Amino acid sequence: MYAILDIESTGGKYNEEGIMEIAIHRFNGEQVVDQFISLINPERDIQPFVVKLTGINERMLTTAPKFHEVAKRIVEITENAVLVAHNAQFDYRILRTEFRRLGYDFKRKTLCTVDLSKQLIPDAESHSLGKLVRSLGIPVGDRHRANGDAIATLKLFKLLLAKDTDKTIIKQIIKEENLGELSPNQIDIIEALPSATGVYYMHDKDGEITYISKSSNIKKRVNQHFTNVGDFARKLQKSTKRVSYERTGGELAGLIKEAIEIRKNRPKYNKKPNQKGFSHGIYLKENEDGIIYLVAERANHRNARLSSFSSLKSAKSFLQKLKERYGVNMERHQEHQNELVHELFLDFSTYKRNIILIDKGRELGEKSVFLIKNGELAGMGYAELNHQINNIAILESLLTPIKGNPYLTYIVESLLRKNERIKILELNQE
C-alpha cells in the first residue's frame, strides 16, 4: 500500500516551516482507495515567494483547520503504507516536524520518485516534477498546489511501477523508517551550527578531521550530509561525532580557507586536492594598429592576463560573454576599445597587480580583506576601520600571510568574474 503525498509549506527557516496545504492519495498499486486533501492554517507567516508561487495567501487559510485538527486523519490514511513523494525527504521531514510539535513520533517508510525516475528514466533532460511529467506526456494541472502535484506524482509513480519489471529498484530505494532522519547526536550537532557562510570540519571519535568543506549555509549543508543516501554520505554519517566550523563572512574567504586547509590537513574523505592552478587564460594582445584585443589560450607569461581558467572551454565561454556584451575580442578597430579593455582588466585581473580586495565580513561593520602583491595572494584577514585597510603597514599586521600559490590566484580571479560586490583598491605606490 502506498500513500502518495504532496505538501505546500510556508517556507522560512529550516525546521520552522509550517504546512499550509496537504494532499494524500492512498494507492493500492492499481487504484486510489482513499484520499485526503485540505488547506491547513499553519499559524505562522507565509513567505512572499511562496504566495507568488502557489497563489495561497493568509486570507485563504484563516478558516482552514489547524494541523492538530487533521493529524489523526493523516495518521489513519498513511497507516501501513509507504509514503511516496517527489523529493520525499523534504515532505517527510516537514510532516514529521509538525507531528513532533504535537509530541507524536510519526514514522513511515518512504519512496522518492526523484530517485526512482533517475534509475528508470536516466536520460530525462530534467527530473524535476513539472519538466519530467511534461516530457513523458503526462497531463498536469494546478501546479504548485498540493493536489495538482500529488496527482502528477501518482501518474508518474504508476508509470515507474510499470517500468520496474523486475522490482529490484523499488526494493533498493525504499528507505528504512529511520533513514533520512537524524540521530540525537546529529540533531545536537545541527542545532549548534550557524546558517552562515564558512568552512566546516567533520571530526571522528578521536577528534581527527575527516572532511573539510566550504558552504554558504553550514547548517543546511551538514544536515544534507546526515540525510543524504549513497556510500560517501554513509561514511560521513558513520564516522562523524562532532562538527566544528569557522565563519568566513564572504565567499572568497571561505573558498581560500577551504583550499588551504584541505591541502594542509589532507582529510581522509576529501578527494586528493588538485591545486596546480590554472591551465588557460584570457590574454591581452595588441595588433599592428595598436588596438588591444583579447584571446583565450594556454597559460603563458608573455602577455598580460585578464583572467585565469581551468580549461580552454571555460576561457572561451567567458570570452564569448564579453564579446556579446562589449564586442572587445576581435582584431579590428572599435571606438574606445582600448579604454574598455583596460577597464575590464581592472575589474577582473590580478596579473602583476598590487591591490586590495574587500568582501563581506563575518558581522556588521567588518570586512574581509585580501592583499594581492605582484599578482599573487599574499595575505587575508579582517578589518573594521577604513584606516586599517588604507594603511598598508597596519593592514599587513592584521592579515595572515599566505605564500604564493597559483591555485589561490585562480580562485580569486574565478570569483571576481562572478561576484560584483568585491571591491578592488589599488595600493598606493608612493
Side-chain angles (χ1 to χ4, degrees):
M1 191 68 71
Y2 305 96
I4 314 300
L5 168 71
D6 189 80
I7 286 172
E8 300 300 331
S9 74
T10 59
K13 293 183 179 179
Y14 176 83
N15 268 0
E16 294 182 9
E17 315 102 312
I19 295 176
M20 62 181 189
E21 189 176 36
I22 189 169
I24 304 173
H25 294 257
R26 191 173 176 90
F27 177 61
N28 65 7
E30 295 182 359
Q31 60 184 355
V32 173
V33 295
D34 193 5
Q35 63 181 27
F36 173 67
I37 303 159
S38 180
L39 289 170
I40 295 176
N41 184 341
E43 301 182 88
R44 64 197 66 227
D45 294 335
I46 307 173
Q47 295 297 305
F49 79 91
V50 175
V51 175
K52 185 176 181 180
L53 181 68
T54 65
I56 300 173
N57 56 50
E58 293 180 4
R59 178 179 54 82
M60 296 168 60
L61 302 177
T62 53
T63 60
K66 297 175 182 178
F67 185 79
H68 71 85
E69 297 177 274
V70 300
K72 183 180 179 181
R73 176 71 170 122
I74 293 172
V75 170
E76 292 172 346
I77 196 171
T78 62
E79 191 170 10
N80 298 319
V82 176
L83 292 182
V84 178
H86 208 71
N87 192 6
Q89 180 182 306
F90 172 82
D91 293 80
Y92 186 46
R93 176 179 64 79
I94 297 290
L95 196 54
R96 288 209 69 188
T97 298
E98 288 283 14
F99 275 108
R100 283 198 193 102
R101 291 172 183 148
L102 300 179
Y104 181 76
D105 189 18
F106 178 85
K107 286 186 177 182
R108 298 289 186 268
K109 292 184 179 181
T110 63
L111 180 62
C112 181
T113 51
V114 175
D115 294 339
L116 192 54
S117 62
K118 286 180 178 178
Q119 294 285 335
L120 292 167
I121 316 174
D123 297 328
E125 182 177 347
S126 170
H127 292 94
S128 68
L129 182 60
K131 292 181 179 179
L132 183 59
V133 294
R134 280 195 296 271
S135 70
L136 296 169
I138 297 173
V140 59
D142 215 9
R143 283 284 286 121
H144 302 299
R145 290 295 299 268
N147 196 44
D149 286 355
I151 291 173
T153 303
L154 173 61
K155 292 177 179 178
L156 172 63
F157 184 54
K158 288 179 179 178
L159 184 148
L160 294 171
L161 284 175
K163 281 182 172 291
D164 188 27
T165 54
D166 57 9
K167 307 304 178 190
T168 57
I169 294 177
I170 286 183
K171 292 175 184 177
Q172 292 170 1
I173 294 179
I174 290 181
K175 299 173 176 62
E176 296 298 329
E177 290 179 354
N178 63 347
L179 190 58
E181 289 297 308
L182 304 181
S183 69
N185 181 53
Q186 289 171 335
I187 291 173
D188 290 341
I189 288 173
I190 294 294
E191 288 302 313
L193 297 175
S195 299
T197 298
V199 177
Y200 59 92
Y201 312 84
M202 305 186 105
H203 303 261
D204 63 16
K205 61 182 177 59
D206 298 319
E208 294 296 320
I209 297 174
T210 59
Y211 185 71
I212 297 175
S213 188
K214 170 261 172 192
S215 176
S216 59
N217 188 326
I218 296 173
K219 180 189 287 285
K220 181 178 179 180
R221 186 70 191 98
V222 173
N223 179 74
Q224 289 171 341
H225 286 310
F226 286 160
T227 56
N228 282 349
V229 297
D231 291 341
F232 176 70
R234 281 192 288 272
K235 288 177 182 177
L236 288 183
Q237 292 158 15
K238 185 177 180 179
S239 69
T240 302
K241 304 304 178 186
R242 180 171 172 262
V243 178
S244 60
Y245 65 90
E246 184 172 338
R247 295 173 186 259
T248 60
E251 185 179 6
L252 181 56
L255 290 169
I256 290 172
K257 191 169 186 64
E258 176 193 44
I260 291 174
E261 298 198 352
I262 288 176
R263 187 173 186 175
K264 182 178 180 180
N265 291 278
R266 306 279 178 168
K268 64 185 292 186
Y269 293 130
N270 283 97
K271 293 180 180 179
K272 186 177 180 180
N274 180 17
Q275 299 184 0
K276 296 181 180 179
F278 53 92
S279 59
H280 292 78
I282 293 178
Y283 290 89
L284 282 62
K285 292 192 175 182
E286 184 176 337
N287 67 12
E288 63 275 9
D289 297 321
I291 302 300
I292 298 174
Y293 64 100
L294 305 173
V295 61
E297 62 184 22
R298 183 169 289 281
N300 67 67
H301 301 285
R302 298 185 300 276
N303 303 97
R305 183 186 69 250
L306 177 72
S307 198
S308 56
F309 299 83
S310 60
S311 69
L312 181 60
K313 181 179 179 181
S314 56
K316 286 184 175 180
S317 176
F318 185 70
L319 184 57
Q320 181 62 27
K321 292 178 182 177
L322 294 180
K323 175 184 177 182
E324 292 170 357
R325 185 170 180 180
Y326 304 107
V328 295
N329 69 315
M330 304 301 292
E331 286 188 74
R332 65 167 187 260
H333 177 75
Q334 289 183 249
E335 188 177 3
H336 306 304
Q337 176 158 305
N338 286 11
E339 292 88 341
L340 181 55
V341 171
H342 181 66
E343 289 178 10
L344 291 174
F345 183 83
L346 296 179
D347 286 340
F348 298 122
S349 183
T350 67
Y351 180 76
K352 291 188 177 180
R353 296 175 70 188
N354 295 295
I355 55 179
I356 297 169
L357 305 180
I358 303 173
D359 196 9
K360 180 181 177 182
R362 298 163 295 187
E363 56 191 33
L364 189 64
E366 182 183 71
K367 302 293 183 184
S368 56
V369 186
F370 310 85
L371 177 62
I372 308 292
K373 280 190 172 183
N374 196 30
E376 293 186 348
L377 182 64
M380 64 178 284
Y382 296 91
E384 294 183 358
L385 304 175
N386 286 334
H387 84 268
Q388 293 175 316
I389 298 174
N390 295 328
N391 186 313
I392 187 63
I394 295 177
L395 181 63
E396 288 189 304
S397 69
L398 293 174
L399 301 184
T400 300
I402 297 174
K403 294 183 179 180
N405 181 335
Y407 182 69
L408 301 183
T409 301
Y410 164 70
I411 289 177
V412 171
E413 293 188 340
S414 296
L415 204 60
L416 285 179
R417 296 194 295 269
K418 304 171 186 175
N419 190 342
E420 296 179 356
R421 294 192 304 271
I422 296 177
K423 185 178 180 181
I424 302 176
L425 294 180
E426 296 288 342
L427 279 175
N428 190 338
Q429 298 299 303
E430 294 181 3

